[in-house]
Amino acid sequence: MLFRSLLGAAKSEWHFKQGDDNAGLISSALWLLERSGKLDDTTLIRALGERLSGVRFQAARIATDRGLRAVANAGANRGDGVTAAIRTALVAALGDSDAFVQRAAADALAANPKFGAVWSNRGAVLLDLGRAEEALASIERSLAVQPGDVTALYMRGNAVRALGRAREALAMYDRVLALAPDHVAAHVNRGDLLRGLGRLDEALVSYGHAAAREPGHTEILHRCGAVLREIGRYEEALACFDRILEIAPGDIDAYESRGIVFRDLARFEDAIANYDRALKVAPDRAFLFGERLFCRMNVCDWRGIANDFAGLEALIEAGNPASAPFPVLAMPLSTASQKANAETYARAMYSHKEPAPQFARGGGHERIRLGYFSSDFHNHAIPFLIADLFERHDRSKFEIIAFSISPPVNDAMHARLEKAFDRFVEAGEIGRAHV
């Protein structure tokens, strides 16, 4: 009765939204209905938060904070506590306010400052708000109360990852998985971390563990397909995207990803067909107009091409994300349009990045210090062209330092370059964003 009334309340009392949020929340409630006899109060609230995370991440964190507060205050009447918690969770899922998030966390802590789960959930809220240092401090307080709490350990991994401490985050996810091998989110985040470090084979293993436990989870399948494409296992990548389309026939990302694989295979007509499917559903799909046009150029399909070039230029001039920069270089567009397109692309892809910190100017060095950053300090075309340049620096005037931002590759060129520099720093495991 609790969960049936929950559904009724969700549809009426809180002006239930239509669309994906509606479906996600109903799914959450039904999932809990099936398992209501197996979960204790706290687990129930956490479970609801996890299910809601697919709807809106901040909402899930609010749900757990406010829900745990209700349970903590429920006293003897645990049923009322659970009811209040779930009601609050649903209200939270319909809100989207940073102020509400922070108030919810503060209320939860006021209810019981020693309740470890409250601290970890507060940390999760702070992490969602981009306040990783504060999040980590809150999560550490949770672990001081409950040292082996899997949720807190997982959130600590997320916090140190956000702070650029990749090795520490990896160790934390490993610890979580040692305690809870079926923790799907830890497998996924571990895979994301390894992928960001360029350790693609290991990332694929982590995604595989997650997919084995959630075989119908399309986001995990997307990650598997993307990594398979990146390591050149194209047929397996296509199989992943095909599986996604079996589960979700209207998945635009899957059609676009299939198109990219076909483009990599130089099967441009197949790429165009998949791009067409995506554009039919989402005509304004970011960057896809230019990508499709570039594929048409590769198969010498010149029908109406002048109009398409003009249309692309008009989209760019209007500030729309019409194409990635590289395809536009091959098109008869003005240099001003190419520049504007590159700027639009950069804003869309990297505007969320924090600006680089201000570094103090060094002093007291006898030689000018030069740093070279690359992911290609191995048998690659670029080092073959410029290795001699590194070796010819006047070492009496310059100190040269290499920062390799890819996993170590022990080949002949790598060995040559290590000797060419005064210092060779393996920075691949730091993560590119934090080098």
Side-chain angles (χ1 to χ4, degrees):
M1 289 300 295
L2 169 63
F3 294 95
R4 289 189 179 90
S5 63
L6 168 66
L7 286 174
K11 291 176 181 176
S12 58
E13 184 175 343
W14 293 304
H15 310 293
F16 216 73
K17 286 186 177 181
Q18 298 299 311
D20 291 341
D21 284 2
N22 182 42
L25 289 170
I26 290 178
S27 173
S28 299
L30 290 175
W31 182 83
L32 289 168
L33 174 61
E34 295 170 358
R35 294 160 174 78
S36 58
K38 302 178 182 178
L39 303 173
D40 62 28
D41 293 350
T42 301
T43 305
L44 187 65
I45 306 310
R46 288 182 181 169
L48 180 62
E50 290 173 5
R51 296 296 290 185
L52 287 173
S53 67
V55 181
R56 189 172 293 155
F57 284 104
Q58 283 195 349
R61 304 312 179 195
I62 302 168
T64 48
D65 266 341
R66 295 300 292 265
L68 288 167
R69 177 197 175 203
V71 171
N73 288 341
N77 196 339
R78 305 296 285 178
D80 288 346
V82 176
T83 303
I86 296 175
R87 282 173 172 261
T88 306
L90 282 172
V91 173
L94 300 178
D96 195 16
S97 161
D98 284 355
F100 184 80
V101 175
Q102 296 181 63
R103 187 171 68 251
D107 288 348
L109 290 174
N112 190 340
K114 296 182 179 180
F115 195 5
V118 173
W119 285 106
S120 64
N121 285 313
R122 178 179 181 273
V125 172
L126 291 167
L127 193 58
D128 285 338
L129 296 175
R131 293 157 58 182
E133 290 281 5
E134 295 173 76
L136 181 59
S138 188
I139 294 164
E140 297 283 16
R141 293 195 68 167
S142 173
L143 287 169
V145 179
Q146 298 173 304
D149 183 75
V150 169
T151 299
L153 291 170
Y154 167 71
M155 292 310 307
R156 189 181 189 281
N158 291 346
V160 294
R161 179 186 172 197
L163 292 169
R165 290 149 58 176
R167 291 184 182 180
E168 191 176 350
L170 193 60
M172 197 57 54
Y173 293 139
D174 287 342
R175 186 175 172 190
V176 169
L177 292 169
L179 295 170
D182 292 331
H183 198 297
V184 173
H187 283 296
V188 171
N189 283 12
R190 185 177 187 276
D192 290 345
L193 179 60
L194 291 166
R195 185 182 177 192
L197 295 172
R199 295 161 60 177
L200 299 181
D201 290 330
E202 295 173 79
L204 186 60
V205 171
S206 284
Y207 292 148
H209 286 310
R213 290 161 174 80
E214 292 276 357
H217 198 301
T218 57
E219 286 302 317
I220 297 172
L221 291 171
H222 270 295
R223 285 171 163 83
C224 291
V227 172
L228 286 165
R229 173 191 159 255
E230 289 171 24
I231 61 179
R233 291 163 59 177
Y234 297 115
E235 295 302 324
E236 292 170 83
L238 286 173
C240 278
F241 300 131
D242 289 344
R243 175 62 182 142
I244 292 168
L245 290 169
E246 290 176 3
I247 298 167
D251 193 305
I252 301 170
D253 292 331
Y255 282 116
E256 183 173 353
S257 296
R258 277 173 54 86
I260 293 170
V261 173
F262 285 128
R263 180 205 65 194
D264 291 348
L265 291 169
R267 292 169 55 180
F268 297 109
E269 291 180 345
D270 288 327
I272 292 167
N274 279 273
Y275 293 154
D276 284 344
R277 294 290 296 272
L279 288 168
K280 184 178 180 180
V281 178
D284 298 327
R285 182 77 168 176
F287 312 120
L288 199 50
F289 187 97
E291 171 67 21
R292 180 185 181 278
L293 186 53
F294 186 65
C295 287
R296 285 185 56 207
M297 293 168 66
N298 274 275
V299 294
C300 300
D301 181 0
W302 310 119
R303 294 170 296 177
I305 199 76
N307 289 333
D308 287 335
F309 287 146
L312 177 61
E313 193 151 30
L315 288 170
I316 291 171
E317 290 174 356
N320 294 306
S323 178
F326 182 77
V328 171
L329 295 176
M331 300 177 189
L333 274 60
S334 68
T335 54
S337 291
Q338 292 185 5
K339 179 176 182 289
N341 181 66
E343 290 172 343
T344 298
Y345 182 85
R347 282 194 298 270
M349 299 299 292
Y350 305 110
S351 62
H352 65 287
K353 301 294 183 182
E354 295 183 4
Q358 294 294 320
F359 295 101
R361 183 179 294 275
H365 299 290
E366 294 182 357
R367 297 182 292 168
I368 297 172
R369 306 172 89 183
L370 298 177
Y372 290 91
F373 294 79
S374 179
S375 59
D376 299 319
F377 289 132
H378 53 86
N379 285 342
H380 185 277
I382 292 176
F384 278 103
L385 292 171
I386 63 173
D388 190 52
L389 167 68
F390 302 142
E391 293 166 340
R392 289 177 178 272
H393 276 77
D394 184 345
R395 298 304 177 81
S396 67
K397 297 180 179 178
F398 297 95
E399 177 186 357
I400 61 170
I401 306 167
F403 294 89
S404 177
I405 54 176
S406 64
V409 178
N410 296 317
D411 57 25
M413 179 55 74
H414 188 275
R416 177 183 173 184
L417 292 174
E418 280 189 310
K419 296 176 182 177
F421 290 93
D422 293 295
R423 280 194 290 158
F424 195 102
V425 179
E426 295 286 3
E429 292 196 353
I430 299 175
R432 296 186 184 188
H434 302 279
V435 168

